Amino acid sequence: MSAPDYGQAFALWRADAGTDWDAYTHHAFVEGLRDGSLPQACYLQYLRQDYVFLIHFARAWALAAAKAGTLDELAAVSATVHALVHVEMPLHVQTCAAHGIDRATLEATPEATGNLAYTRYVLEAGYSGDFLDLMAALAPCVLGYGEIGARLAGNTGPYADWCATYGGIEYQTLCRDVGALIDGALLRRLGPGWTDLPRAEELQARFATATQLEIGFWDMAQNPAIE
Amino acid sequence: MSAPDYGQAFALWRADAGTDWDAYTHHAFVEGLRDGSLPQACYLQYLRQDYVFLIHFARAWALAAAKAGTLDELAAVSATVHALVHVEMPLHVQTCAAHGIDRATLEATPEATGNLAYTRYVLEAGYSGDFLDLMAALAPCVLGYGEIGARLAGNTGPYADWCATYGGIEYQTLCRDVGALIDGALLRRLGPGWTDLPRAEELQARFATATQLEIGFWDMAQNPAIE
Amino acid sequence: MSAPDYGQAFALWRADAGTDWDAYTHHAFVEGLRDGSLPQACYLQYLRQDYVFLIHFARAWALAAAKAGTLDELAAVSATVHALVHVEMPLHVQTCAAHGIDRATLEATPEATGNLAYTRYVLEAGYSGDFLDLMAALAPCVLGYGEIGARLAGNTGPYADWCATYGGIEYQTLCRDVGALIDGALLRRLGPGWTDLPRAEELQARFATATQLEIGFWDMAQNPAIE
Amino acid sequence: MSAPDYGQAFALWRADAGTDWDAYTHHAFVEGLRDGSLPQACYLQYLRQDYVFLIHFARAWALAAAKAGTLDELAAVSATVHALVHVEMPLHVQTCAAHGIDRATLEATPEATGNLAYTRYVLEAGYSGDFLDLMAALAPCVLGYGEIGARLAGNTGPYADWCATYGGIEYQTLCRDVGALIDGALLRRLGPGWTDLPRAEELQARFATATQLEIGFWDMAQNPAIE
């Protein structure tokens, strides 16, 4: 299956991430979601860690709003923050509740190192770098879930809901919007020839590192006992 | 008229800011809004500068979201960012249009130094300090407008709309929410005796400096020719 | 007199800043230093405000060290921080003492708004942007003093010491080093064609705004009564 | 053996970190340094990763300089940055060369995840929090090496040099200075009763997490094949 069309930067960075991109988007955890073979204990570990992850991820998007260069960028990014905090988080809490994890348990989740490594890498990339560094570090999560969702859409196993969420039209639209935001931000700052600049290599490296940290996140969720 | 009840920290910081607080909330510009004597040229200068101000102010609130310590803080702050960017900014653009200032003109507004000084002070306070520094630096604008609005509510002159907006129940509720957010954030980090800590003096100084910068903002709007 | 050779970016940004650059480097305050006509009260006001300025300026250079992209950049920048804090600050304290301003008085200096506006602009540029934004915002102070010093070197009036410091070989070498640091940083990130990128306009705007804030700093020092 | 006296905060945080502190300071890697049983491959892996670590660690100290609250704090912290970049780094490069690792090899070191997790955690703590958050996150490395060094001082095995460096009077003095810096910073901001504030728990958590990440760093160095 070909990659979904989330814009120019994504296509480039995805191709460059090579086998790591496949290791992330076809991770055993993902295949377990697809064919239903994922043990529920792993899924619950994932849900709990993802709760912690989403808080830091929303903080990173908020940092992007602080670093936006135009009102349009600010509007696009702050809409994403709002969706994460006021739609996705409540939904996540609800999903967890449906699996018997109440909010107090969620909040008491000890942050796994693979989780911490990922979110702090993204946030620090944003603080030390600029808006583009943040976008490149945020992209693998947002757009990788989109690609996985597009592949798993229509799935009917025990994880049908997860597949429907990320494969659904709403999330796919978000991915195209984020892809367009990134392409626009690159064009606005670096011009149409940005792919040939040394800066492009730095951004590619951000995307590649975040992709590796996604693999680490699945590893952690896949093997709850290890952490 | 007594101060509106926006919580403990506001009452303390406001009292400490002393005559500067009065100079801000009873500035000639404000009195001109109240009795209708403010020349329209000053009001238009204010509207244009306020457009630039609001962008940086929203960025500062977004930074607060990035620095939030709990999911509740994150939710409260990101709701404010959203309201600023997706409600207040469009409203502001509309108000400007009604006064004959189109969006292109707004976007071409050269940032006055008094405007730049204020917003960069707030943002830097947030970046170099923590969530509390940011709250203390953001408070004079949010809550001072609330206090002015409460006093000017029901005004019928040429600036009746401005008075109705900030004196209205929606904005007054926002002020009480922000006051509660600040009090909660202080309590959560510094405990009930926070007012006696040296940290309290730093925060008070943040509030006092931002109050002085509000005076400078009115001065700048009052005298468009100077800048 | 032609501009000193502090590298490519400086030549470009300086030319672009146009009349503002002249207004800064030939400000009445500077001419007063040159011909000795500057009232001592202005010079003392300048010395006191410059003490506050240098602290924030050193903090901004430290931020640049935090944002450095290579070990060489880190080494160059941290050497500057060290020189500012451990050489220039003690020298400044000593100069002030020679003019009858003791350290307690220095530390009690209320920060003028023109001072605050400048330093917070630079720091915020660095926090919200990246290493290059910081370099562009730091350049007018470092290199402008170099250009003024080169012009006033050999001066024999009451301000001969000031002129000797900034016109001296040590400071001129620092300026060439900083110019080379900036050119290297631009090349490393944006490649040899960086001047044609939209990013170049952003950086130019940083330099231009900082130049205007330098003018404001001289204005403030020239008219101590105003603040 | 009792803990070295590096001040009040260290004593408190160290006690609170409990068994993790022992797991860090008595890690198999450390014991291998002590009794000489550490395979050289592990030591070389450590040296290479430590090179990458030191760059980010110096950046974090530079960030602390940007966030310093007084000129004394700024002076103390910038002296540490200078020592790290202009003394410790060249020494490290020299040590590596003596073990056959040239500078090009050092610079090509792929950053291990356990390394990345640690440094980004510290930097992000500093960016999102304030000076105190940074101090609490930096302390386990600086002071833990001091404690290990004090215990291993006088060691005569193959790792005698390492033990002499960290057990030596120069490094021990640095540790006492950093301890005093931290105690002073706490007192200046939070007053003498700071240990009873909720803020103390946040700082303790920073220290505890950084301690766990130190264990992860030794694990990574101990098992080069895993990464």
Side-chain angles (χ1 to χ4, degrees):
Chain A
M1 177 192 169
S2 64
D5 181 6
Y6 301 148
Q8 182 196 10
F10 173 66
L12 192 79
W13 293 340
R14 180 187 182 278
D16 175 73
T19 54
D20 277 342
W21 186 258
D22 291 331
Y24 158 38
T25 55
H26 289 77
H27 192 279
F29 189 96
V30 175
E31 297 311 293
L33 285 172
R34 187 180 55 74
D35 66 15
S37 66
L38 182 74
Q40 208 192 14
C42 297
Y43 190 62
L44 298 184
Q45 158 81 348
Y46 161 75
L47 285 181
R48 292 188 63 183
Q49 289 297 325
D50 205 35
Y51 174 83
V52 179
F53 178 85
L54 280 171
I55 291 175
H56 293 292
F57 203 65
R59 291 176 52 225
W61 274 98
L63 181 60
K67 297 198 154 208
T70 65
L71 182 53
D72 286 342
E73 282 181 4
L74 177 55
V77 171
S78 69
T80 303
V81 176
H82 196 260
L84 277 166
V85 177
H86 295 276
V87 180
E88 188 147 347
M89 283 301 290
L91 196 70
H92 195 84
V93 170
Q94 208 178 306
T95 304
C96 290
H99 286 85
I101 307 170
D102 63 18
R103 187 157 169 178
T105 306
L106 268 185
E107 286 175 359
T109 306
E111 187 176 29
T113 302
N115 197 347
L116 175 149
Y118 189 2
T119 57
R120 298 325 190 276
Y121 174 77
V122 173
L123 279 158
E124 199 272 335
Y127 276 121
S128 289
D130 68 2
F131 188 80
L132 295 180
D133 291 280
L134 205 35
M135 287 300 115
L138 286 165
C141 176
V142 179
L143 305 181
Y145 270 55
E147 178 167 338
I148 294 168
R151 185 162 61 87
L152 271 56
N155 189 288
T156 54
Y159 303 113
D161 281 359
W162 191 95
C163 301
T165 298
Y166 294 105
I169 194 163
E170 200 174 351
Y171 193 78
Q172 292 298 317
T173 303
L174 170 74
C175 288
R176 279 190 298 273
D177 289 349
V178 167
L181 170 70
I182 294 173
D183 283 349
L186 284 159
L187 188 66
R188 191 171 302 117
R189 288 161 178 83
L190 303 178
W194 70 266
T195 56
D196 296 330
L197 304 176
R199 188 78 175 95
E201 286 171 45
E202 292 179 337
L203 297 172
Q204 211 160 269
R206 294 282 188 204
F207 185 93
T209 300
T211 298
Q212 287 163 2
L213 293 165
E214 277 286 356
I215 298 171
F217 194 94
W218 289 140
D219 286 348
M220 172 271 293
Q222 182 80 357
N223 303 294
I226 282 182
E227 290 275 344
Chain B
M1 179 189 169
S2 64
D5 182 6
Y6 301 148
Q8 183 196 11
F10 173 66
L12 192 78
W13 293 340
R14 181 188 182 277
D16 175 73
T19 53
D20 277 343
W21 187 258
D22 292 331
Y24 158 37
T25 55
H26 289 77
H27 193 278
F29 189 97
V30 175
E31 295 312 293
L33 285 171
R34 186 180 55 74
D35 65 16
S37 66
L38 182 75
Q40 209 191 14
C42 297
Y43 189 62
L44 299 185
Q45 158 81 347
Y46 161 76
L47 285 181
R48 293 188 63 184
Q49 289 298 325
D50 205 36
Y51 174 83
V52 179
F53 178 85
L54 281 170
I55 291 175
H56 292 293
F57 203 65
R59 292 175 53 226
W61 274 99
L63 181 60
K67 297 198 154 206
T70 66
L71 183 52
D72 287 341
E73 283 181 2
L74 177 54
V77 171
S78 69
T80 303
V81 176
H82 197 259
L84 278 167
V85 176
H86 294 278
V87 180
E88 188 148 347
M89 282 302 288
L91 196 69
H92 195 83
V93 170
Q94 208 177 308
T95 305
C96 289
H99 285 84
I101 307 170
D102 63 17
R103 188 158 170 178
T105 306
L106 268 185
E107 287 175 358
T109 306
E111 187 176 29
T113 303
N115 196 347
L116 174 149
Y118 189 3
T119 57
R120 298 322 191 277
Y121 174 78
V122 172
L123 279 158
E124 198 272 335
Y127 277 121
S128 288
D130 69 1
F131 188 80
L132 296 180
D133 291 280
L134 205 36
M135 287 299 116
L138 286 165
C141 176
V142 179
L143 305 181
Y145 271 55
E147 178 168 336
I148 294 167
R151 184 161 60 87
L152 271 55
N155 189 288
T156 53
Y159 302 113
D161 280 359
W162 192 95
C163 301
T165 298
Y166 294 105
I169 195 164
E170 200 174 349
Y171 193 79
Q172 293 298 318
T173 302
L174 170 74
C175 288
R176 279 190 297 273
D177 290 349
V178 167
L181 170 70
I182 294 173
D183 283 347
L186 284 159
L187 189 65
R188 192 171 301 115
R189 289 163 178 80
L190 303 178
W194 70 266
T195 57
D196 297 329
L197 305 177
R199 187 79 174 94
E201 287 171 44
E202 292 178 337
L203 298 172
Q204 210 160 269
R206 292 284 189 203
F207 185 92
T209 299
T211 298
Q212 288 163 1
L213 293 165
E214 277 286 356
I215 299 171
F217 194 93
W218 289 140
D219 286 346
M220 171 270 294
Q222 182 79 358
N223 304 292
I226 282 180
E227 289 274 342
Chain C
M1 178 193 168
S2 64
D5 182 7
Y6 301 148
Q8 182 197 10
F10 173 66
L12 191 80
W13 292 340
R14 179 186 182 278
D16 175 73
T19 54
D20 278 342
W21 187 258
D22 292 331
Y24 158 37
T25 55
H26 289 76
H27 192 278
F29 189 97
V30 175
E31 296 312 292
L33 286 172
R34 187 180 55 74
D35 65 17
S37 66
L38 183 75
Q40 209 191 14
C42 297
Y43 190 62
L44 298 184
Q45 158 81 346
Y46 161 75
L47 285 181
R48 293 188 62 184
Q49 289 297 327
D50 205 36
Y51 174 83
V52 179
F53 178 85
L54 280 170
I55 292 174
H56 293 292
F57 203 65
R59 293 175 52 225
W61 274 99
L63 181 61
K67 296 198 155 207
T70 66
L71 183 52
D72 287 342
E73 283 181 2
L74 177 54
V77 171
S78 69
T80 303
V81 175
H82 197 259
L84 277 167
V85 176
H86 294 277
V87 180
E88 188 148 346
M89 283 301 290
L91 195 70
H92 196 83
V93 170
Q94 207 177 308
T95 304
C96 289
H99 285 84
I101 306 170
D102 64 19
R103 188 160 167 175
T105 306
L106 268 185
E107 285 175 359
T109 305
E111 187 176 30
T113 303
N115 197 347
L116 174 148
Y118 189 4
T119 56
R120 298 322 191 276
Y121 174 78
V122 173
L123 279 158
E124 198 272 336
Y127 276 121
S128 288
D130 68 2
F131 188 80
L132 295 180
D133 291 280
L134 205 36
M135 287 299 115
L138 286 165
C141 176
V142 179
L143 305 181
Y145 271 55
E147 179 168 336
I148 294 168
R151 185 162 59 88
L152 272 54
N155 189 288
T156 54
Y159 303 113
D161 280 0
W162 192 95
C163 301
T165 298
Y166 294 105
I169 194 163
E170 200 174 349
Y171 193 78
Q172 293 298 318
T173 302
L174 170 74
C175 288
R176 279 190 296 274
D177 289 349
V178 167
L181 170 70
I182 294 173
D183 283 348
L186 283 159
L187 189 65
R188 192 171 301 116
R189 288 161 178 83
L190 303 178
W194 69 266
T195 56
D196 296 329
L197 305 176
R199 187 78 175 94
E201 287 171 45
E202 293 178 337
L203 298 172
Q204 210 160 271
R206 292 284 189 205
F207 185 92
T209 299
T211 298
Q212 287 162 2
L213 292 164
E214 277 286 356
I215 299 171
F217 194 93
W218 288 140
D219 286 347
M220 172 270 294
Q222 182 80 358
N223 304 293
I226 283 181
E227 289 275 346
Chain D
M1 177 191 171
S2 64
D5 181 6
Y6 301 148
Q8 182 196 10
F10 173 66
L12 191 79
W13 293 340
R14 180 187 183 278
D16 175 73
T19 54
D20 277 342
W21 187 257
D22 292 332
Y24 157 38
T25 56
H26 290 76
H27 192 278
F29 189 98
V30 175
E31 296 311 292
L33 285 171
R34 187 181 56 74
D35 65 16
S37 66
L38 182 75
Q40 208 191 14
C42 297
Y43 189 62
L44 298 184
Q45 159 81 347
Y46 161 76
L47 286 181
R48 291 188 63 184
Q49 289 297 326
D50 205 36
Y51 173 82
V52 179
F53 178 85
L54 281 171
I55 291 175
H56 293 292
F57 203 64
R59 291 175 53 226
W61 274 98
L63 181 60
K67 297 198 155 207
T70 66
L71 182 52
D72 287 342
E73 282 180 3
L74 177 55
V77 171
S78 69
T80 303
V81 175
H82 197 258
L84 278 166
V85 176
H86 295 278
V87 180
E88 188 147 348
M89 283 301 290
L91 195 70
H92 196 84
V93 170
Q94 208 177 306
T95 304
C96 289
H99 285 84
I101 307 170
D102 63 19
R103 187 159 169 176
T105 306
L106 268 185
E107 286 175 359
T109 306
E111 188 176 29
T113 302
N115 198 347
L116 175 149
Y118 189 3
T119 57
R120 297 324 190 277
Y121 174 78
V122 173
L123 279 158
E124 199 273 333
Y127 277 121
S128 288
D130 68 3
F131 188 80
L132 296 180
D133 292 280
L134 206 35
M135 286 301 115
L138 286 165
C141 176
V142 179
L143 305 181
Y145 270 56
E147 178 167 337
I148 294 167
R151 183 161 61 88
L152 272 55
N155 189 288
T156 54
Y159 303 113
D161 280 359
W162 192 95
C163 301
T165 298
Y166 294 105
I169 194 163
E170 198 174 351
Y171 193 78
Q172 293 298 318
T173 302
L174 170 74
C175 288
R176 278 190 297 273
D177 289 349
V178 167
L181 170 70
I182 293 173
D183 283 347
L186 284 159
L187 189 65
R188 191 172 302 116
R189 288 162 178 81
L190 303 178
W194 70 266
T195 56
D196 296 329
L197 304 177
R199 187 80 175 92
E201 286 170 45
E202 292 179 337
L203 297 172
Q204 212 161 270
R206 293 283 188 204
F207 185 93
T209 300
T211 298
Q212 287 162 1
L213 293 165
E214 277 286 356
I215 298 171
F217 194 93
W218 289 140
D219 286 347
M220 172 271 294
Q222 183 79 358
N223 303 293
I226 282 180
E227 292 274 345

